[in-house]
Amino acid sequence: MLHKNTLLCAAVSAALWGVAAAPSQAAVVASLKPVGFIAAAIADGVTETQVLLPDGASEHDYSLRPSDVKRLQNADLVVWIGPEMEAFMDKTTSAFPENKKVTISTLDGVKPLLMKGADDDDHADEHDHDHAGESDADHHHGEYNMHLWLSPEIARLSAVAIHDKLVELMPQSRAKLDANLKDFEAQLAATDKQVGSELAPLKNKGYFVFHDAYGYYEKHYGLTSLGHFTVNPEIQPGAQRLHEIRTQLVEQKATCVFAEPQFRPAVVEAVARGTSVRMGTLDPLGIGIPVSKTSYAAFLTQLANQYASCLKGD
C-alpha cells in the first residue's frame, strides 16, 4: 500500500512539476461559440480552442466565473467582439496585452463594414411602464450592431487576424496556420455560395425576429426582415409594442416570426396566435454545434435551414 501511495505521490508531483516547467499549453480562448468556430478553424492542429459562454447562456447577461477568469489569464490568445458586446469580459480582457488578443470590432477591415444598431427609443413607453428602474444603458448595445460573427465577410477578416496573431505567437507553426487559413477561406466561399442559393428564392418573404441580431446575415443574403421584438433580449417587450408588432404581422403579411432557443418563445406565441403567421426558431449562437474546424460553415448552413424551413413552410 505504501509502495502504491509513494508511486501515486511521485506521479502527481511529476505531473505538477511537468505543468510548471513546460510552457503553458493554454489555448485560444474565444468569447462566444461562433467566434470559437472561426478560431478553431485556424488553430486546428496547432493549439486548443476554448469557448467561455456556455450553451444556453446569453452574451447579454453572462457573468464570468472564477474558472473563466483563470482560462482568460492563461490564454495564449483571446478572441472577442469587443466591450460593446461581451461586457462580461471587458475588465479582464482590456488588461490583456495587444499581441495576445484579437478585438474583432476594431480590426481595420471590419470598421467600414459596421452596421448601425437599432435602438428602442421609439418604444420608450414599454421601458417606462415595464422597467421603470432601469437606465438607458440597459437598452443599448452602443452605436453599432455588434453581432459581427453573422457576417461571412467579417468572419473571413477575423480568421485572417487570428492567423496573423498566432503566427506571431507560434512562428514554428506557420505552415499549418497558413494551410488552415487557406482551408477556411475555401470552405467559407463554398458554403457562402450554397447558402446564397438556398436563400435566394426567399428574398421577398417578410418576417419578424425576436431580437435585433441578424442584420449582417440578412444584408449579406438579401433577406427581408420586417422588424424585431426587442433590441436587448433580456428586456421583454411591453404590451403596446406587442400590439404594434401584431398589427404589422397582419398588415405586412409576414410569413414567419422567429424565436430563439435562449429565450422563452411565449411572447412570440402570444403575438402569432390567431394569425396565419408561422413560428420558427433562429439560433444566433450555434447551440449544439461542436467546436471544430468545420463548425463555422455548419453554423451558416444551420441558420439558412432555420430561415428556409419557416419561410418556405416545410
Side-chain angles (χ1 to χ4, degrees), residues 192-206:
D192 186 33
K193 197 174 175 182
Q194 193 184 332
V195 167
S197 303
E198 184 180 0
L199 295 177
L202 308 172
K203 284 184 177 182
N204 298 319
K205 295 197 178 236

Side-chain angles (χ1 to χ4, degrees), residues 148-302:
L148 304 182
W149 63 89
L150 288 157
S151 160
E153 201 176 351
I154 292 174
R156 193 191 69 76
L157 293 166
S158 306
V160 170
I162 294 164
H163 163 273
D164 293 352
K165 280 277 196 272
L166 287 176
V167 166
E168 278 174 34
L169 293 164
M170 305 166 182
Q172 72 284 4
S173 301
R174 175 164 209 137
K176 177 66 174 155
L177 291 164
D178 287 354
N180 286 351
L181 178 60
K182 200 175 171 185
D183 286 352
F184 178 76
E185 290 180 323
Q187 192 185 103
L188 181 62
T191 305
D192 186 33
K193 197 174 175 182
Q194 193 184 332
V195 167
S197 303
E198 184 180 0
L199 295 177
L202 308 172
K203 284 184 177 182
N204 298 319
K205 295 197 178 236
Y207 57 88
F208 272 81
V209 293
F210 181 64
H211 96 282
D212 181 35
Y214 306 92
Y216 292 97
Y217 193 89
E218 291 165 341
K219 184 181 177 187
H220 188 84
Y221 294 113
L223 295 170
T224 313
S225 172
L226 300 173
H228 53 270
F229 285 38
T230 180
V231 167
N232 184 344
E234 298 311 312
I235 296 165
Q236 290 289 352
Q240 188 172 330
R241 175 69 177 139
L242 292 179
H243 176 71
E244 282 170 27
I245 292 170
R246 191 181 172 84
T247 306
Q248 284 177 276
L249 288 180
V250 176
E251 284 177 0
Q252 299 189 46
K253 297 183 171 57
T255 305
C256 278
V257 286
F258 288 104
E260 288 179 17
Q262 294 90 332
F263 303 103
R264 290 194 191 93
V267 66
V268 180
E269 284 165 6
V271 164
R273 197 174 294 129
T275 73
S276 60
V277 179
R278 288 190 293 271
M279 269 189 64
T281 300
L282 292 175
D283 174 12
L285 289 171
I287 286 177
I289 298 175
V291 177
S292 76
K293 65 180 179 180
T294 58
S295 301
Y296 189 73
F299 171 64
L300 290 181
T301 304
Q302 175 175 287

Side-chain angles (χ1 to χ4, degrees), residues 8-22:
L8 182 64
C9 288
V12 170
S13 169
L16 289 171
W17 281 108
V19 168

